[in-house]
Amino acid sequence: MNGWEISVSGNTTHYRKKLYDAYGNHVGTIGICKPTKQTRKKKKPVLYSFKQVSSQVLQAKTSTKAMQVSNGIRAKIGLLKKQLKNGDVDEEEILRAILHAEMVQRACDKKKKNLKMEETAERSMEAEKELPVEPEESPDEAESEEEIKELEQAEFEALMEKLEMTADEMMEVAEETAELDEELDEMAEALSGSMTPEDLEQLKVKHRSDEARDILKADLKYLKALFDRLQSEKENAGKASFAGAMDSGVTLSLGGMDMPVTDTVSPSMPVENGGSFDIEV
């Protein structure tokens, strides 16, 4: 840019050139200011599809398949964390993916446990159909069984005395296990073989509903974070555009007086990327 003085101030690049008449007399100065282009290293995109991960869990039909899906998600989380450590991907984007994958994996582990329970109940019902009718217990057998129960009760009471659990301690244990009561009841019913086909169908509906709710929660959290990121980028782009417009401009100094210039007349001064600018005096 022959004859132009270039200086950079903050995010703005300034171009200045002295103007002379046909006799070589200095008659003024023209100045141009433009936003300085910021070069940033582009981060690699995160190869993660939240829909694909969620769909794999929802489509698992057996406990074995659910276990395979869970192991696959765990491996994916490990890969994402490795990429985060390398620092060659967008940090916010990859953290969003890791959070979603971890939430979905927990839902997958729950589904694996639920499917195992259902499979156990189905096997128990099949075994009940195949078992022969047991003969009634003889009086001697019933008496022997009663003695065993009494002995077990005595051993339990002795153990409780040995532990010397206070009322507060017992209450604390009860509170810690209260959330598991319903799940334990379901498991006990499945293992006992007393569950009917209708009961099993209702249990399956309940399980699938709980699992789908967990998956939906993970998906919505991921999408909200994505939307917030896009909205923030949009707002920042608008601010940058406004700031660039404020920092851009052309001025002409004649006789010690600065005047803004809004129109160009003929292209003769290259400014940037093949562009040009000129002004007549």
Side-chain angles (χ1 to χ4, degrees):
M1 195 174 294
N2 191 23
W4 288 84
E5 297 177 2
I6 304 174
S7 62
V8 178
S9 175
N11 295 326
T12 305
T13 301
H14 300 273
Y15 304 86
R16 296 181 64 82
K17 185 176 183 180
K18 294 181 178 181
L19 302 177
Y20 299 90
D21 62 16
Y23 301 101
N25 300 315
H26 178 251
V27 294
T29 304
I30 185 171
I32 302 173
C33 56
K34 297 179 68 67
T36 304
K37 286 189 175 180
Q38 302 295 321
T39 57
R40 294 176 57 185
K41 185 179 178 182
K42 190 174 182 180
K43 298 280 188 177
K44 294 180 181 178
V46 178
L47 300 178
Y48 182 79
S49 171
F50 80 96
K51 288 184 178 180
Q52 183 183 31
V53 175
S54 297
S55 297
Q56 288 177 344
V57 179
L58 294 173
Q59 292 169 5
K61 303 300 181 184
T62 66
S63 60
T64 300
K65 181 61 178 177
M67 180 180 64
Q68 293 173 350
V69 173
S70 179
N71 291 338
I73 297 175
R74 185 179 292 109
K76 189 179 292 291
I77 292 172
L79 180 61
L80 291 171
K81 289 183 176 180
K82 184 178 180 180
Q83 290 178 328
L84 178 62
K85 187 176 180 181
N86 292 338
D88 56 352
V89 292
D90 185 278
E91 182 176 346
E92 185 176 339
E93 185 179 352
I94 203 165
L95 286 173
R96 182 171 63 243
I98 291 173
L99 176 61
H100 178 266
E102 288 177 341
M103 292 180 69
V104 173
Q105 190 196 4
R106 287 195 292 271
C108 188
D109 288 341
K110 177 191 287 187
K111 185 168 189 177
K112 177 183 68 175
K113 181 178 61 178
N114 290 341
L115 287 169
K116 276 187 177 180
M117 185 189 303
E118 296 162 12
E119 292 162 359
T120 300
E122 289 174 346
R123 288 194 295 267
S124 297
M125 284 191 289
E126 290 296 325
E128 281 290 321
K129 293 178 182 178
E130 297 174 1
L131 286 175
V133 179
E134 296 182 358
E136 294 183 3
E137 292 181 341
S138 64
D140 292 339
E141 290 176 340
E143 184 176 348
S144 176
E145 196 169 305
E146 186 65 27
E147 290 176 354
I148 292 174
K149 289 181 179 179
E150 290 178 357
L151 180 60
E152 290 176 346
Q153 180 65 25
E155 290 177 348
F156 175 75
E157 290 176 355
L159 179 61
M160 291 299 294
E161 290 179 3
K162 198 170 185 179
L163 291 174
E164 296 181 350
M165 293 181 69
T166 65
D168 291 340
E169 290 172 337
M170 293 181 69
M171 181 64 71
E172 184 178 347
V173 172
E175 290 175 354
E176 291 176 354
T177 57
E179 296 180 357
L180 300 176
D181 284 348
E182 184 178 357
E183 182 179 333
L184 292 174
D185 289 342
E186 292 173 354
M187 179 64 77
E189 188 175 5
L191 293 173
S192 68
S194 62
M195 184 175 288
T196 66
E198 291 76 15
D199 293 336
L200 180 56
E201 286 304 313
Q202 290 181 1
L203 182 62
K204 287 182 177 180
V205 171
K206 177 181 178 296
H207 284 168
R208 299 297 86 79
S209 177
D210 290 344
E211 295 152 10
R213 185 174 60 249
D214 291 344
I215 295 293
L216 179 61
K217 182 179 179 181
D219 288 353
L220 290 177
K221 194 176 186 70
Y222 179 89
L223 288 172
K224 183 180 183 303
L226 177 61
F227 175 81
D228 290 345
R229 170 69 179 272
L230 293 175
Q231 188 70 16
S232 177
E233 289 179 349
K234 183 178 179 181
E235 292 175 357
N236 290 337
K239 291 177 181 178
S241 177
F242 178 77
M246 294 295 291
D247 289 340
S248 300
V250 180
T251 58
L252 178 65
S253 178
L254 294 174
M257 181 179 296
D258 291 337
M259 296 177 292
V261 178
T262 58
D263 296 321
T264 60
V265 178
S266 61
S268 66
M269 188 279 291
V271 177
E272 189 176 15
N273 296 330
S276 61
F277 182 85
D278 189 23
I279 185 167
E280 294 183 351
V281 181

